[in-house]
Amino acid sequence: MTEKSWYQLNDLSQLDTPALVIYTDRVRQNITSLVDAIDDVSRLRPHVKTHKTREATQLMLEVGIRKFKCATIAEADMLAQCGAPDVLLAYQPNGVKMHRLLALIKAYPDTQFSCLVDNIDTAHELSRQAVEAGVVVPVYIDLNVGMNRTGITPDENVVTLYGELDKLEGLHVMGLHAYDGHMRHPDIAVRIQECDAAFQPVEQLRDRLVSLGFERPIIVAGGSPSFPIHARRADVECSPGTFVYWDRTYRDMLAEQPFQPAVLVVARVISLPGPTKICLDLGHKSVAAECPLEQRVTFLNAPELRAVGQSEEHLVVEAGEGHSYRVGDVLYGLPNHICPTCALYERGVTVENGNVTGEWRTVSRDRILTY
């Protein structure tokens, strides 16, 4: 008798597809592995952008994680609802987002909210609104260490901005934020070298600020690829996110890390459009589509299938001559990129020991929860 694979469900009769399936025992193990990989749990500030759920947040709180990072106001709201004590909005708020952030600060006094800034004009506006609201907003300067999307180059201009922020009413400058998600070399030795080189100016900035009489700045750095590197730095807060669910990209690229895939997309064969092709119910709306077609998903129980076409609700794959697939067959897909895949589903089906146990709602995929 063939041993059952870890991902196979015992009863598929009630599972509609496509479905996001969360293997909660693996989620717990990934969280445990995260905690075990660092010397002090207080240095962990995991990003919630991957899972976007109350349940995964609660599992992290239960193991002593108290600091979190997020990218949207809705994610910040969700974290506060869970009782997270410390929430960094890793985004520079502008316009309505400023109002919403200030509303959260007033609504959840037991949660310390902070955010990023990278220019004095935004800081002045945030200061003005914070004073009007009667609150103080902790802020981190966002550094551009190579991602080239937000932040400022870690040079003397940061020292100038730090000093200006320190003088603004309604703001309290906390430290520096350095995200290096572009450093993904599969050779950990090369990744360490690249990460250390990019981080050196950040360390020099920290020392320069201390020499000028500022309180030692907090540094929040990295994501999942650089987590094991920053985890070895004694005074850096680490903010991986994908670790909680993992995916094919990081499984294959970051072989040195202990995390394991914990979420799959389950699909069914819905048509046989030709002698060598089969069609699945896994379209653009069901698995992240930013990667090349052939890299979007790998089927664990059918790795030979090759995607040749995809539309909103359909995925056509090449199965080859003489294949044995039939309409109704179930396929277990490991997404290439799990973060945007999760955001496509309003809920994930939870599984333990092959049995469906319930669901986790992807609540903060919404842009607005209460504020």
Side-chain angles (χ1 to χ4, degrees), residues 30 40 60 64 81 90 98 117 128 145 166 175-176 179 182 211 219 258 287 312 319 339 351:
N30 284 342
D40 185 347
M60 294 184 202
Q81 290 176 16
M98 279 191 190
V117 294
R128 183 187 68 78
V145 292
D166 189 56
L176 308 170
Y179 179 60
H182 59 295
S211 73
I219 298 177
V287 67
E312 292 184 23
C339 308
V351 171

Side-chain angles (χ1 to χ4, degrees), residues 64-365:
I65 295 172
R66 293 292 176 264
K67 302 170 185 175
F68 295 86
K69 194 162 91 168
C70 62
T72 70
I73 298 293
E75 290 170 357
D77 194 347
M78 180 271 291
L79 286 165
Q81 290 176 16
C82 293
D86 188 329
V87 174
L88 167 59
L89 176 67
Y91 210 86
Q92 180 167 241
N94 285 281
V96 174
K97 280 187 173 58
M98 279 191 190
H99 298 287
R100 295 178 65 195
L101 176 60
L102 295 172
L104 281 178
I105 291 172
K106 298 186 79 169
Y108 296 99
D110 293 333
T111 296
Q112 175 181 279
F113 294 94
S114 54
C115 69
L116 302 184
V117 294
D118 69 7
N119 70 88
I120 193 60
D121 291 338
T122 297
H124 274 301
E125 180 61 19
L126 183 59
S127 168
R128 183 187 68 78
Q129 292 192 26
V131 170
E132 286 183 0
V135 301
V136 174
V137 182
V139 296
Y140 292 78
I141 293 181
D142 189 20
L143 303 178
N144 179 6
V145 292
M147 280 292 289
N148 298 324
R149 61 182 189 187
T150 63
I152 59 176
T153 303
D155 56 22
E156 194 65 21
N157 290 324
V158 176
V159 177
T160 301
L161 179 58
Y162 208 95
E164 292 173 327
L165 293 177
D166 189 56
K167 297 173 185 175
L168 290 178
E169 289 186 81
L171 303 187
H172 177 58
V173 61
M174 301 287 290
L176 308 170
H177 175 266
Y179 179 60
D180 52 14
H182 59 295
M183 295 179 184
R184 301 181 175 193
H185 199 286
D187 185 335
I188 182 62
V190 175
R191 207 179 328 136
I192 290 172
Q193 185 178 39
E194 293 176 346
C195 183
D196 286 348
F199 194 71
Q200 185 178 16
V202 181
E203 293 178 306
Q204 291 171 342
L205 272 176
R206 177 198 59 204
D207 296 342
R208 174 98 166 96
L209 291 167
V210 171
S211 73
L212 292 172
F214 291 105
E215 185 176 343
R216 189 177 180 86
I218 297 169
I219 298 177
V220 180
S224 291
S226 60
F227 167 66
I229 305 167
H230 292 302
R232 293 200 294 268
R233 310 188 199 279
D235 56 355
V236 171
E237 292 185 1
C238 302
S239 53
T242 309
F243 78 93
V244 68
Y245 286 171
W246 223 225
D247 55 25
R248 193 191 72 188
T249 296
Y250 282 174
R251 182 200 67 179
D252 296 347
M253 185 183 296
L254 310 176
E256 81 286 345
Q257 300 206 32
F259 310 113
Q260 54 190 355
V263 173
L264 301 179
V265 286
V266 178
R268 281 187 169 89
V269 177
I270 58 171
S271 184
L272 304 175
T276 68
K277 292 180 174 60
I278 63 177
C279 184
L280 315 175
D281 54 356
L282 196 69
H284 298 148
K285 295 178 180 177
S286 305
V287 67
E290 86 272 25
C291 299
L293 176 59
E294 66 277 5
Q295 297 178 13
R296 293 172 189 171
V297 63
T298 299
F299 297 103
L300 300 183
N301 60 329
E304 79 284 359
L305 295 180
R306 180 173 58 87
V308 294
Q310 190 179 34
S311 54
E312 292 184 23
E313 307 291 352
H314 304 82
L315 176 66
V316 178
V317 299
E318 178 66 47
E321 296 283 352
H323 71 78
S324 60
Y325 293 101
R326 296 183 178 182
V327 170
D329 285 352
V330 173
L331 299 179
Y332 296 83
L334 177 61
N336 186 75
H337 194 183
I338 190 60
C339 308
T341 296
C342 287
L344 297 171
Y345 292 84
E346 66 174 10
R347 68 196 69 209
V349 176
T350 56
V351 171
E352 288 198 21
N353 299 317
N355 297 315
V356 173
T357 58
E359 65 179 32
W360 289 0
R361 291 185 61 85
T362 320
V363 290
S364 55
R365 78 174 189 144

Side-chain angles (χ1 to χ4, degrees), residues 6-80:
W6 65 267
Y7 52 80
Q8 288 181 299
L9 303 186
N10 294 327
D11 182 7
L12 291 159
S13 62
Q14 300 302 311
L15 183 71
D16 196 7
T17 56
L20 188 77
V21 176
I22 304 169
Y23 298 82
T24 52
D25 55 341
R26 286 189 160 221
V27 174
R28 292 188 183 93
Q29 183 55 55
N30 284 342
I31 294 171
T32 297
S33 295
L34 181 77
V35 174
D36 289 346
I38 201 164
D39 60 330
D40 185 347
V41 70
S42 70
R43 290 180 51 226
L44 290 174
R45 186 181 286 276
H47 205 311
V48 303
K49 51 104 177 182
T50 300
H51 64 83
K52 298 178 180 287
T53 69
R54 297 185 180 98
E55 291 83 356
T57 299
Q58 189 59 46
L59 291 177
M60 294 184 202
L61 287 166
E62 289 172 3
V63 299
I65 295 172
R66 293 292 176 264
K67 302 170 185 175
F68 295 86
K69 194 162 91 168
C70 62
T72 70
I73 298 293
E75 290 170 357
D77 194 347
M78 180 271 291
L79 286 165

